[in-house]
Amino acid sequence: MGFFSTILGFCGFGVGVSTGLVIGYYLFIYFQPSDVKDPVIRPLVEQDSQSLQRLLPEIPLWVKNPDYDRIDWLNKFLELMWPYLDKAICKTAKNIAKPIIAEQIPKYKIESVEFEELTLGSLPPTFQGMKVFVTEEKELVMEPSLKWAGNPNVTLGVKAFGLKATVQAVDLQIFAQPRITLKPLVPSFPCFAKIFVSLMEKPHVDFGLKLFGADLMSIPGLYIFVQELIKDQVANMYLWPKTLEVEILDPTKAMMRPVGILHVKVLRAMKLRKKDLLGASDPYVKLKITESKAPSKKTSVKHKNLNPEWNEDFSIVVKDPESQALEFIVYDWEQVGKHDKMGMNVVPLKELTPDEPKVMTLDLLKNLNQNDAQDDKFRGQLVVELTYKPFKEGDMSKDLDNPLQKAPEGTPPSGGVLVVIVHEAQDVEGKHHTNPYVRIIFKGEERKTKQVKKNRDPRWDEEFTFVLEEPPLKEKLHVEVLSTSTRIGLLHPKETLGYVNISLADVVNNKRINEKYHLIDSKNGKVQIEMQWLVIQKILSHRHRHQRLIFRIPMAKPIIDTEYLKEIEKARRELRAFISNKNCAPIMLRLAWHDAGTYDVNTKTGGPNGSIRNEEEYTHGANSGLKIALDFCEQVKSKCPKITYADLYQLAGVVAVEVTGGPTINFVPGRKDSNASPKEGRLPDAKKGAPHLREVFYRMGLSDKDIVALSGGHTLGRAHPERSGFDGPWTKEPLKFDNSYFVELLKGESEGLLKLPTDTALLEDPEFRRYVELYAKDEDAFFKDYAESHKKLSELGFTPHTGSKAIVKDCTILAQSAVGVAVAAAVVILSYLYEARKKMK
Amino acid sequence: MGLILGMVMGMALGIALMAGWRHMIRYRSSKRISKAVDIKSLSSLNRDDLKKICGENFPEWISFPVFEQVKWLNKQLTKLWPFVADAAEAIIKESVEPLLEDYRPPGITSLKFSKLSLGTVAPKIEGIRVQSLKEGQITMDIDLRWGGDPSIILAVEAALVASIPIQLKNLKVFTVVRAIFQLADEIPCISAVVVALLSEPKPRIDYTLKAVGGSLTAIPGISDMIDDTVNSIITDMLQWPHRIVVPIGGIPVDTSELELKPQGKLTVTVVRANDLKNKELIGKSDPYVVVYVGPMFKVKTKVIEDNLNPVWNQTFELIAEDKETQSLIFEVFDQDIGQDKRLGIAKLPLIELESEAPREFELRLLPSLDMLKIKDKKDRGTLTVQVLYHEFNKEEQLAALEEEKRILEEKKKLKEAGVIGSTMDALDGAASLVGSGVGMVGTGIGAGVGLVGSGLSKAGKFMGRTMTGQSTSSKRSGTSTPANSIQENGGPKPL
């Protein structure tokens, strides 16, 4: 009896608990209002001491630390702008989240997920102080203390299995200390090219998540767990030294770096108008490129000649061929007095085709004013030959990526090059005059900068190089700031404003030092000197590059807009014409495969990233001969400069298959170029068998089917003894893409056709053989599978942009969409849990 | 029995669990909300708040000026300045040159920059103030100070004289820049920015003019003309209520609301003046009055010769753009050979006027509007005027806008023909053959000392004269110093 009653008791307890929970839920939670109220904010002065006590840990940093600045004006600005920002952000977030949700929900059998409410609330984010760091580098570093304790209300309605659930996220609080670095600084607005954001500490995150009106985050323990999870996730992505990089300007363009060289040959002039009263004029030509501070160049003077022949060559550095123009001015040389202008003309550089010499005959004008009435006079003609040679893209990007340039060729192997850059000086003052210039003396060699007139804070930015036989471990560099005046009758025409001796051992050890040195014999004077020690040592530059890659999350995928897609189409046409012209489909396919085949799914390195263009990689044994294909691609790249190398190589592979009669492979652009070449030995070795093949392809994350299908690519081309050590083609028609590779493979040995050990391995392994037989029989099946596998291969480690083509540049939008996705994911998980619970019941 | 007991116990437990959970929900929610409130209130503290929080340990380094200090921004600006200067030079050249052309005084055929470099000293932001004066707008005032070392060389070409390079030295700018952000519902949430210099405190732009390898006296009145040009550009283009509207972010918005539009018409009758000062050596002054709201549109009465109590009774119509801040300026001049002397100036703020109610004012004439530096408090007489303000309705406003455009076009045409100048007093100044009054004396001394100095330095062909110009006072007392360190001008040496 007792036993029975106990059982009953337990049953009753069970029923009771569930009924109790339901009653309690309705009683305490369901009928509670779930809307978010705007909190009442009372002025601080009216608050009691207890609430002030609570306030103390949150005191802004600018109150506590003098090195933080108050930016309440920015808070006010944000507060006023917040209602507008709220609307705009919510709208964008909704628009972004919608396609993502639409894409995801069918997988989880959810009928619909939609925002019932989405506002960010009335409380704006606040900045509780701002600190800036001043370094000698060309960068701005600041650290705002950001606190957002908002009252947003994000309510999602989820419908699944005929049931509707609402999930509500409220009271989001994020406290973070981001470090924002703006660099490199460039001389065009907004004056910086990239923004780097990283978090200095793990951020504090708190929020309430209500499911059916009950806050899950208040279940003891769950909140801490979730918070840690989020913190770790964010920390994984953005905790310093990991950074989020946002590109604002293209640094190459913004820096106004030289992009090419203009070779000018001034040939001759004809029928110049006489300017001198006695005899003929003495003409010479002055060349100047617009928008440049470089001094103009002059030809020699041809005396008493109105049809002079110069035939003189000049090279001029070009920074922007789109807007720059070359100015020719013909002058009449005079012994005394001002040289008369005989005429001029201008050639805009965009009229020139790169790498193509162009001979131009220019009519000389009085000036460039078209409407000038006096201008109809004939002033003669000038004949010039112009050739614009743009630098190769590769040279430039390397240059940019690596602030330490390689030592130039001809540097002694044991020694190196010492580069001294004199940046600026501060507070230098002479007793009699302050026209400072810098003299640097190193081992008796003396170099001088230009003089800056009447300036206490001069800026030179001049670079000097010393080529040395051995590292200057014991040497010192003498830097002296001097001032001279040409004023006559002055007792002190030259005076020293200060000097400093810098020991170079540190430079050799650190490779680069950029510092402000206090001047001796000067009141407060300082001089900023940057020194670099460059050696011929591949390992060094490699290691350096590698570090940078680890430190930074690459973000700069090419922006896939209509323009880029157009460029892709153009490249496709170019490649098609090129490949069918040169019959180079096999090597193009090989290039695509060798660039992509280095992928490692575990470390997420290698893959189709264009790294094969680096000398380091294309000189790998497995890649011998590919330089030819790289050079081919370079020709296409020069016509379609926007395309990334990674995209170009994969496109070349796709086109090669297509052109030779193979399947059409879906090509999705957007791969990012990388400079990091993987170690040698990632590509399969032709001499090994099935286990090796599996090892290599599994490492890439590919399957057995992929192995066989991709091996079918051997239907194109032949092996070359000087490249792989093997000789001969695999099929009778090495320029036709079909399933004959498998047919030949099954036939066994045949005259003049090649079978590599890796090929025969396909026959020996039963799993592989299944596919070989299928493909030999059914070409369509092969084409279908090949197209799939090739696509997979060409997209290793690359996630194409999906959905909307809108380019999300704005950080806030990204953050918002992240929140949106997180919420959507949470909904999905929770609804699953709910379902599971329901089923268990 | 067991069943019921179990059920009751279970129910009690279930309800208790739910109650506990709700308690937790409430507790955490209220904690979060109170934190949010704290953070919010800490984002805009004032002195009293901080005193209350910190009590006795109030940090001494903190102060609360009206314009909040932005040391961090200045630090960044210093660092960024070389790059900003580089980037800005091209833009300034492009945008200011056409302006110079528009405001170019007659007698000068071309006014261009031959060198423009902004120097190495970055401007300093003394403070920033953010206000909301109007719904949907944020007003940001930036107190800007720049005592830089820019090198600006103007190539001035006059009708008769060859091109003279004139250097603007010791440029100093003190002004409060007002930026108004018009808010919008789309990212980036700002649809337009209105930029202007606040008229109160009046923007101060000081500079020294210096001819490179030549003399300023080569073109009579050149420095006045340049001062006048600079002054007009600033008051006419930048100084509140004049403004520059910059649309932002590709949101198509109607910025016409933000643009400055004619707001009303002023009918001004200059009746008479009493007890004017006599500035002539022989006889009495020959006074006339110049009336304007902005220097772009000036009107002038006829000259009444030899009279210290002239009666003009002339009526003019002027356009007002912003009744709140603009003023009518009356300047009384004495017509003279050479440069006309100012007998006095008076200001009538438009805010004192009521629409459609004609009023008569008796204005006291002052030596200058900027009373900070001028000692002279002598009575300069009074000016009697009648003013009627008429506020435009929509159609009239449009008509007035058209009219304004037409007049500007006409002026431009006339200027191209070389008939009139943008400012009337510059016209007379340019026409004069010799430097006038004080100016002439100054030139004389300058030339004299310049000759002595140049004799010493064996550079007798150089002669320089520096003049300090201030845009706040349109005429200055001609302080002139010889420049005997010509070699350092870097100018070409005529041989």
Side-chain angles (χ1 to χ4, degrees), chain B residues 24 42 210 455:
Chain B
M24 277 305 284
L42 284 171
K210 190 171 170 184

Side-chain angles (χ1 to χ4, degrees), chain A residues 99-113:
Chain A
I100 298 173
I101 292 174
E103 199 174 301
Q104 294 298 327
I105 52 171
K107 288 185 199 165
Y108 302 99
K109 295 181 181 151
I110 298 169
E111 281 157 39
S112 78
V113 175

